[in-house]
Amino acid sequence: MNFTSVQLPRRIIFGTGRVSELGEEIKALGISRPIAVSTPGGANRANAILEASSVVAARFNGAEMHAPAECVERALSAAKNSDADGVIACGGGSAVGIAKAMAVSSYRPIVAITTTYSGSEMTPVYSMTREGAKTGGQSIDVLPKLVIYDPELTLDLPVPISVTSALNSLAHCVEGLYSIQRDPMVDRMASDAIGLIAKSLPRIVEQPNSVVDRENLLYASCLGGMVMTSAGMALHHKACHVLGGTFGLPHAETHAVLLPYVMRYNASVAHHAMSVIEHEIKQPDAPFAIYSLGQAVGAPRGLKALGMPEEGLNKAAEMIVNAPYYNPRTPEIAGILDMLRAAWSGEAP
Ligand code: NAD
């Protein structure tokens, strides 16, 4: 073996009921005046967590997806007014995204209490959206110092969000398997997570409050976030970035729809990744198997169902081909356009 692996400084607490340790954990981090960040829908959950742990915190419950600049401004002014010395992000990628943008402006450290499968809490990647353009970067300053995963907090995550969020996490693992920076640890984490998602996601659709399956999905999302950080992402993430940033498509849903088509595009050169996936999900033809999994659990069908205009496909293909990034198969315009057309219609890849 011969590899380079960068490991990040952070503490992860995982287990049912462990959110109750929040109070002592933030004290250990030296945080005395935190501000809690959530989406409007997550405000009650955040309040209940803070109250149960006797944590006194200022509140900002207006977090929005893709960290719009105006939303970040509002969060920053709430943090300034309360003289916050730390941020508790309670929710999914949207709450974490606002906390990361605040950390860029020196409101840190971040404690993340994770309630979806986005994996953002595991990455040092931040972004902000201003006038329709999403920009960002990477910094250790925005990496949450502490992440609490308590499966009980995800029992009420609605099934459609659970499905698209878990497929978002699956995408991190699939792209990690054909990344140029993959290493043996990435392979192990990605393959374990793919196996757990394939096993537990269909069960969650049947039984949304199965703690064991919620635990599996949350653990898989943690691994997915670590894979994304270590390995770096490829065509799928670039394409989702274009579709989300330029055409306003929703984050997790776009990942859920597009993944099998990107896999089909890459399959002829990504033999290792495809065989690992086929082994983990115990089915041949990885792109078709992932498509079938998505359809079986009720994932949206086709980009057109997400509001993608058919006349935008050419522009999207050009943007995807012209951006610089690693992918195992060089993106060329005709192939990418075929991929997008198939993904738009929702036909089997
Ligand atoms: P989200 O955070 O917007 O959550 C989706 C919805 O689920 C919200 O309405 C939220 O209130 C609700 N919700 C969350 N937890 C719940 C629970 N336990 N019960 C009931 N409802 C709950 O969506 P997301 O997909 O987690 O995050 C998307 C955002 O994360 C995007 O902005 C994306 O760009 C970002 N992201 C960033 C990274 C990164 O590494 N920087 C990685 C992945 C995603």
Side-chain angles (χ1 to χ4, degrees):
M1 280 187 215
N2 181 355
F3 64 87
T4 303
S5 171
V6 177
Q7 301 299 320
L8 301 174
R10 63 175 148 223
R11 182 171 165 85
I12 300 169
I13 292 182
F14 193 107
T16 298
R18 295 203 64 185
V19 73
S20 62
E21 294 168 35
L22 176 68
E24 61 202 70
E25 288 290 338
I26 61 168
K27 207 182 287 171
L29 281 170
I31 300 174
S32 57
R33 297 181 308 282
I35 178 164
V37 173
S38 70
T39 55
N44 288 343
R45 191 176 317 103
N47 289 343
I49 290 168
L50 296 172
E51 277 160 28
S53 308
S54 306
V55 172
V56 178
R59 320 275 163 104
F60 175 75
N61 51 31
E64 294 172 30
M65 195 174 279
H66 302 313
E70 317 76 58
C71 178
V72 175
E73 287 306 322
R74 287 196 295 276
L76 283 174
S77 100
K80 197 171 168 197
N81 290 341
S82 63
D83 194 22
D85 63 354
V87 181
I88 302 174
C90 182
S94 297
V96 173
I98 295 296
K100 286 176 166 177
M102 293 168 77
V104 174
S105 296
S106 87
Y107 286 99
R108 47 182 187 260
I110 300 174
V111 170
I113 303 172
T114 300
T115 68
T116 72
Y117 310 126
S118 81
S120 177
E121 69 286 348
M122 281 288 122
T123 82
V125 178
Y126 64 90
S127 61
M128 209 191 293
T129 309
R130 196 184 293 277
E131 288 163 11
K134 201 169 177 180
T135 54
Q138 284 205 32
S139 165
I140 197 76
D141 289 339
V142 309
L143 183 77
K145 283 260 180 293
L146 169 70
V147 181
I148 301 179
Y149 291 105
D150 187 331
E152 261 181 7
L153 299 176
T154 62
L155 295 181
D156 60 352
L157 187 64
V159 167
I161 301 180
S162 303
V163 164
T164 53
S165 195
L167 293 173
N168 182 189
S169 170
L170 184 72
H172 302 150
C173 299
V174 169
E175 291 240 292
L177 285 172
Y178 53 61
S179 159
I180 198 165
Q181 295 166 51
R182 61 175 252 265
D183 62 45
M185 290 180 284
V186 163
D187 263 24
R188 189 68 265 147
M189 291 191 288
S191 50
D192 281 359
I194 290 168
L196 289 171
I197 293 168
K199 181 169 78 173
S200 285
L201 184 54
R203 292 190 194 162
I204 282 299
V205 173
E206 296 298 319
Q207 255 195 311
N209 55 2
S210 159
V211 175
V212 172
D213 292 300
R214 288 294 187 181
E215 197 172 273
N216 285 343
L217 292 184
L218 203 54
Y219 177 56
S221 73
C222 167
L223 295 178
M226 292 168 94
V227 166
M228 180 166 33
T229 302
S230 294
M233 300 284 96
L235 172 61
H236 174 75
H237 279 72
K238 179 48 68 183
C240 288
H241 192 84
V242 167
L243 295 170
T246 304
F247 298 93
L249 302 197
H251 180 82
E253 290 87 339
T254 306
H255 277 268
V257 169
L258 196 63
L259 182 62
Y261 303 95
V262 176
M263 289 173 66
R264 179 64 75 208
Y265 185 85
N266 283 336
S268 62
V269 295
H271 302 292
H272 166 78
M274 299 303 142
S275 69
V276 169
I277 296 161
E278 287 158 10
H279 176 77
E280 289 300 330
I281 62 176
K282 302 179 184 63
Q283 289 195 33
D285 190 6
F288 183 73
I290 295 295
Y291 173 80
S292 303
L293 171 67
Q295 291 310 300
V297 294
R301 188 166 185 166
L303 296 174
K304 69 178 169 189
L306 304 183
M308 177 69 191
E310 190 173 13
E311 57 279 12
L313 295 178
N314 281 315
K315 181 178 176 191
E318 276 166 28
M319 290 175 76
I320 292 166
V321 168
N322 289 336
Y325 55 93
Y326 169 79
N327 190 59
R329 178 178 163 196
T330 305
E332 38 76 31
I333 195 80
I336 295 295
L337 199 48
D338 285 348
M339 177 190 89
L340 288 178
R341 283 201 187 108
W344 184 83
S345 74
E347 69 195 44

